[in-house]
Amino acid sequence: MSNLGVIISLLVIFGGLTWLLFRSIKGREVDRRVIFVFIFLAVAAPILFPITFQEHASPVVKGLFDHIDNLPPGSRVLISFDYDPAMAPEVQPMANAISLHCLDRGHKVVFMSLWATGQTLLFNTLQDVIRPEFPDLIDGVDFVSTGYKAGNEGVLNVIVSDFKKMFPTDVNGVPLDSAVIFDEINSCADFDLIVALGGGRPGPKEWVLFVGDPADVPIGVGVAAVVAPQLYPYYPRQIIGMLGGVKGAAEYESELAHRHERFKDMAQPGLKMMGPQTLAHIVIMCFIVIGNVVFFRSRRREGR
Amino acid sequence: MRQQVPLLITFIVGSLLIVSVFIPPFGDLETTFNIWFDIIAVFAFFLGGGNLLRVHINKLRKRKRDWGFSIVTIVGFSVMLIAGLFKIGNPGDIASAVDAPGSLFYDIFNSVQYPLSATMYSLLAFFVASASYRAFRAKNREATLLLIAAFIILLGRTPFGMMLTSWVPDSTSLLQIPNLAQWIMNSPNLAGQRAIMIGIGLGVISMSLRLILGIERSYLGGDK
């Protein structure tokens, strides 16, 4: 049934696009509402009739994956949720996969957020992903959430030298002095890895500038696709690995399922979203071709 | 006097922060200033909330254009504020997080703000598609280069890119579309981004110096 749905959807989309191509060869413009309908179909069809693809981690994703995999168990990892619900469909799958990976490897994880909205999204990860997968892990011993702190780069400037000065308690008001996980953590320099998730400001770039470089801590990032090109100047020396958009999340999930038996059957929202993204990209490319056909035809006509 | 005091504060704070970076005994100053900034940032929340209410209540009172949306804003703001301040439905005690799972704040966030924000952002796909049809045309050599690069990146970000060029031998693997896409990101994109970053960096230094020395005064308002 699902395969039939996929075939019918593809026939409708590509049949329609061919019809539009012939129309444009005859010199007729395409109304923007028609474009909207095609994008809607391209995104909706793979959601209704899932299309899944095999993904392989690219070197830029593998850089972060391997670093987490190779850290000795008990290493201290800081994960910062610096994003909002708009970016969440792209970034939350990365956050979930990286958090699961770190905890599975036995690392001690500190969660925090520089965005007010990030704290609730962090709760979602703790509640929906970490608790069910690792019911035996103890809050304050194996992981802790310090929640959100206002102040943007100001917060980073302080925690780079004294973490508890900015975060005296965890998100539930429990003093960090009583959290076992913080016995050997005084500042960001005491972390073995920092993972900055987000895409806005403050975000991964600020983590590199205000913490990664001054404290000499490796930084891994997960960002929305539109932000990824801006971070390439930092890779691979200041950023050890980067997950960009849905594709980055899908590659990480695929690598996790491939290399860790425990996560073979885990939910893979990133991989699921690759179907709509792939089809939407192809439809956009077809529209670029159709748009150029119209352009060259009209230019030739004007030339005559 | 109204101009001199802010200029003096800017000069002292700016100079001290520069000193704290370069002269180690003054290093703690930076932390102190950042904590002060954090405290001031909290007051900015009050100002922001108050200003939002003032603007929309005014709009509502004067029945300005689209005043109906102001009702939605005020109701939304008030409901979230009350849910957060009084921690309605919060399973923890008074010290627990405002958005702890189970609280009204958490539920509204996840069932209203999350889908609305994600939907707004997703609309980009429609506008990008429309813009790519209307504006992405090979009008000249530069536009054609951009078009080709966009095609490769778009294909490289999908599994089709690999499928189409998996036949390319390993010795010329750079010609495989995903690798080509990676090369575009790693080389031409990186060079451009670095140039932009260096430019921005120099601009920031110059603007900061102008602010500290009182040459740039537009932040004070007025003509000067």
Side-chain angles (χ1 to χ4, degrees):
Chain A
M1 186 64 189
S2 175
N3 285 342
L4 189 67
V6 171
I7 292 166
I8 292 171
S9 311
L10 292 178
L11 279 176
V12 170
I13 293 167
F14 290 105
L17 285 171
T18 315
W19 171 68
L20 284 179
L21 181 65
F22 280 118
R23 265 170 63 93
S24 29
I25 289 171
K26 286 178 189 166
R28 298 178 72 174
E29 282 269 347
V30 181
D31 189 87
R32 70 193 168 109
R33 283 166 294 191
V34 176
I35 300 172
F36 293 166
V37 168
F38 273 93
I39 284 292
F40 170 75
L41 287 174
V43 175
I47 293 174
L48 294 172
F49 313 107
I51 308 172
T52 45
F53 298 99
Q54 279 281 327
E55 283 292 340
H56 301 283
S58 53
V60 70
V61 172
K62 240 180 177 169
L64 179 58
F65 188 95
D66 288 342
H67 193 89
I68 292 175
D69 232 32
N70 296 332
L71 281 174
S75 298
R76 295 170 292 261
V77 180
L78 174 70
I79 303 180
S80 188
F81 284 53
D82 308 328
Y83 56 96
D84 62 359
M87 271 185 273
E90 280 185 282
V91 182
Q92 196 83 12
M94 304 171 190
N96 294 346
I98 292 171
S99 304
L100 286 175
H101 188 195
C102 288
L103 291 169
D104 180 60
R105 292 288 303 145
H107 304 324
K108 305 292 177 192
V109 184
V110 176
F111 297 100
M112 62 165 281
S113 173
L114 294 172
W115 285 40
T117 43
Q119 180 171 298
T120 319
L121 298 165
L122 166 53
F123 269 125
N124 284 347
T125 295
L126 289 172
Q127 175 93 343
D128 303 335
V129 181
I130 294 173
R131 293 276 183 210
E133 190 64 35
F134 300 103
D136 301 330
L137 295 186
I138 303 164
D139 193 347
V141 177
D142 301 299
F143 67 91
V144 73
S145 166
T146 59
Y148 161 69
K149 182 65 73 177
N152 301 342
E153 293 92 330
V155 175
L156 299 178
N157 255 333
V158 176
I159 62 173
V160 73
S161 54
D162 191 341
F163 200 92
K164 289 174 201 163
K165 212 166 201 169
M166 226 7 133
F167 291 97
T169 67
D170 75 0
V171 73
N172 297 313
V174 179
L176 286 190
D177 282 328
S178 64
V180 178
I181 195 171
F182 266 91
D183 281 353
E184 290 172 20
I185 299 172
N186 292 313
S187 70
C188 282
D190 297 320
F191 287 102
D192 300 297
L193 170 70
I194 292 173
V195 182
L197 303 163
R201 185 174 170 271
K205 189 177 171 184
E206 283 67 35
W207 274 101
V208 173
L209 300 179
F210 291 90
V211 178
D213 286 352
D216 197 21
V217 184
I219 304 264
V221 304
V223 292
V226 289
V227 184
Q230 295 166 22
L231 293 170
Y232 269 87
Y234 301 108
Y235 171 79
R237 291 181 70 180
Q238 289 152 293
I239 289 176
I240 52 157
M242 175 164 55
L243 280 62
V246 171
K247 174 121 171 102
E251 287 178 14
Y252 201 94
E253 284 172 357
S254 164
E255 195 72 359
L256 196 58
H258 181 65
R259 284 173 51 179
H260 292 268
E261 190 68 23
R262 177 184 190 144
F263 300 117
K264 211 176 162 189
D265 300 316
M266 75 165 190
Q268 294 172 320
L271 272 170
K272 265 189 189 168
M273 280 191 276
M274 277 308 286
Q277 172 162 308
T278 302
L279 218 49
H281 276 201
I282 291 168
V283 168
I284 288 173
M285 284 192 289
C286 290
F287 275 116
I288 294 175
V289 171
I290 295 170
N292 278 282
V293 168
V294 174
F295 171 68
F296 282 113
R297 267 198 67 86
S298 61
R299 204 156 76 165
R300 207 163 64 177
R301 214 177 298 141
E302 280 163 21
R304 276 178 197 163
Chain B
M1 195 67 177
R2 284 180 66 183
Q3 288 222 337
Q4 281 158 343
V5 173
L7 284 174
L8 196 67
I9 294 172
T10 311
F11 177 76
I12 294 169
V13 173
S15 309
L16 278 174
L17 281 173
I18 292 176
V19 166
S20 71
V21 172
F22 293 104
I23 304 174
F26 293 97
D28 283 348
L29 268 178
E30 196 184 0
T31 308
T32 310
F33 272 111
N34 279 312
I35 291 172
W36 287 2
F37 173 75
D38 201 37
I39 295 165
I40 295 167
V42 176
F43 286 98
F45 283 120
F46 285 106
L47 278 176
N51 199 38
L52 180 102
L53 280 178
R54 192 177 60 86
V55 167
H56 286 279
I57 288 171
N58 264 343
K59 206 172 170 184
L60 201 59
R61 216 185 273 153
K62 291 175 183 166
R63 292 282 193 276
K64 283 187 182 170
R65 194 166 165 253
D66 294 335
W67 58 271
F69 294 122
S70 293
I71 298 178
V72 179
T73 309
I74 294 167
V75 170
F77 179 80
S78 308
V79 168
M80 287 305 264
L81 190 70
I82 291 165
L85 272 181
F86 298 103
K87 298 196 171 174
I88 299 171
N90 200 314
D93 56 16
I94 192 73
S96 66
V98 71
D99 50 357
S103 65
L104 182 64
F105 191 98
Y106 179 82
D107 291 338
I108 296 175
F109 182 91
N110 273 323
S111 35
V112 181
Q113 191 180 349
Y114 194 126
L116 284 179
S117 295
T119 305
M120 288 302 290
Y121 194 67
S122 308
L123 288 178
L124 264 183
F126 294 91
F127 299 127
V128 166
S130 178
S132 64
Y133 169 72
R134 276 162 215 293
F136 224 159
R137 294 182 173 176
K139 287 179 183 164
N140 49 40
R141 203 188 309 156
E142 289 82 2
T144 311
L145 270 176
L146 196 66
L147 194 73
I148 294 167
F151 244 84
I152 294 168
I153 297 285
L154 275 169
L155 257 183
R157 302 294 294 173
T158 67
F160 275 109
M162 194 64 215
M163 284 179 202
L164 285 174
T165 48
S166 54
W167 53 270
V168 174
D170 283 348
S171 54
T172 50
S173 62
L174 181 67
L175 296 176
Q176 288 176 348
I177 286 176
N179 294 338
L180 212 50
Q182 197 64 41
W183 176 81
I184 289 172
M185 296 296 263
N186 266 334
S187 301
N189 163 65
L190 184 136
Q193 293 288 350
R194 278 209 177 128
I196 292 168
M197 281 164 68
I198 291 168
I200 292 173
L202 292 172
V204 168
I205 293 170
S206 130
M207 181 53 91
S208 304
L209 280 174
R210 284 173 64 86
L211 284 166
I212 291 168
L213 299 174
I215 301 166
E216 176 63 50
R217 300 180 179 194
S218 56
Y219 68 98
L220 295 169
D223 295 332
K224 287 183 180 177

